[in-house]
Amino acid sequence: MLSDQNLPIDPQPPTADSFHTLDRETESTETWESDPGSCLRRLEAVLFLSREPLSSRRISEMAHLEDGTQARTMIAELNSRYDRVGRAFQIKRVGGGYQMLTRPHFADWIRRLDHVPGPLRLSAPAMETLTVVAYRGPIMKADIEAIRGVSSGEMLRQLLDQRLIRIAGRSEKLGRPFLYATTKEFLNIFGFNSVQDLPRAAQLCGTGLPDWVAIDNEAEPSKNDHLRRTL
């Protein structure tokens, strides 16, 4: 509840000096909003603190830029600066947005920090299943099993639990089985902007599965050769 002590006593009328001060503050704010250097620093600050990829439109809104085009132009400029001075980080386009990430060759040092998670570990069968879904999704369980040659229900459940794949709908075939596709989490973890960035089959010829994550060699033998032929 307000008392008399909360109210101004004998307020003074505004003077000409107070209006000049307000003008100077407004001018300073407008300069900060439009100055290219300030825009660049605002964008950098937004990306520095973001915990997930941001679209160029969202970046422009948060950094008070003109539009997504300006945000993309400034991201390219920042990356150019980082490359020139050899910064340990860069801005990458992943998961449909932009995120500030450390460069891959610093991974061994960064993982020594307690709060940094270790590499995602998948068994060879889980990796095979994930690769099929990534390249062929949305795909039915029956088609995954036809490609791998073995039952894949347990692998699909594991990948769903790890949020690497999702149920993307139902097929129009008899029984309307589920269709499986990769998630945004998958794109973020493996550094892809979309599934269109996956290496093509010709690039994988003779190399087996992509070296995305650590594979548990103690798991059951994989069928890499069979899988590679079917991708």
Side-chain angles (χ1 to χ4, degrees):
M1 182 173 63
L2 291 176
S3 67
D4 292 341
Q5 293 178 347
N6 298 114
L7 301 176
I9 300 175
D10 191 20
Q12 297 296 319
T15 63
D17 288 339
S18 64
F19 284 115
H20 290 315
T21 301
L22 181 60
D23 288 341
R24 286 195 299 271
E25 291 175 352
T26 302
E27 180 180 357
S28 176
T29 301
E30 290 174 350
T31 301
W32 168 256
E33 292 287 339
S34 59
D35 175 62
S38 298
C39 293
L40 204 63
R41 287 190 291 273
R42 292 200 304 273
L43 181 147
E44 187 177 39
V46 167
L47 288 172
F48 181 77
L49 288 177
S50 175
R51 295 185 178 182
E52 59 184 16
L54 299 174
S55 68
S56 58
R57 179 179 178 181
R58 181 61 176 155
I59 293 171
S60 67
E61 292 173 352
M62 298 180 70
H64 287 188
L65 305 178
E66 292 179 2
D67 50 29
T69 300
Q70 185 183 16
R72 292 190 294 271
T73 300
M74 289 187 166
I75 287 172
E77 182 177 345
L78 280 175
N79 273 331
S80 179
R81 294 186 182 189
Y82 297 158
D83 290 340
R84 285 200 304 270
V85 299
R87 292 293 187 189
F89 49 84
Q90 60 187 328
I91 301 170
K92 286 197 65 177
R93 192 174 182 186
V94 294
Y98 294 88
Q99 188 171 22
M100 187 175 288
L101 302 170
T102 53
R103 298 183 190 270
H105 51 274
F106 292 107
D108 290 340
W109 283 270
I110 294 170
R111 288 192 181 120
R112 298 175 184 179
L113 297 172
D114 293 337
H115 66 280
V116 175
L120 176 67
R121 300 194 66 85
L122 293 175
S123 66
M127 177 59 80
E128 289 176 1
T129 306
L130 178 60
T131 303
V132 173
V133 175
Y135 277 90
R136 294 291 187 88
I139 184 172
M140 299 184 302
K141 175 175 173 286
D143 290 338
I144 296 172
E145 293 175 341
I147 292 173
R148 294 191 64 230
V150 294
S151 175
S152 301
E154 179 59 30
M155 296 302 103
L156 289 171
R157 282 191 291 272
Q158 290 182 19
L159 296 173
L160 284 168
D161 289 342
Q162 292 175 306
R163 296 187 298 179
L164 294 173
I165 66 172
R166 61 187 173 87
I167 296 174
R170 289 183 177 271
S171 171
E172 294 300 324
K173 293 186 177 181
L174 182 64
R176 302 205 63 198
F178 288 131
L179 294 171
Y180 297 92
T182 53
T183 63
K184 187 176 180 180
E185 186 80 5
F186 163 83
L187 296 175
N188 293 343
I189 289 175
F190 296 120
F192 295 118
N193 183 52
S194 73
V195 291
Q196 303 304 318
D197 295 335
L198 289 166
R200 296 296 93 193
Q203 296 174 261
L204 300 178
C205 184
T207 63
L209 292 171
D211 186 20
W212 290 334
V213 296
I215 297 179
D216 186 356
N217 292 322
E218 296 181 358
E220 65 183 81
S222 68
K223 300 177 177 56
N224 291 1
D225 293 338
H226 169 70
L227 179 62
R228 184 168 60 250
R229 289 193 298 269
T230 57
L231 289 177

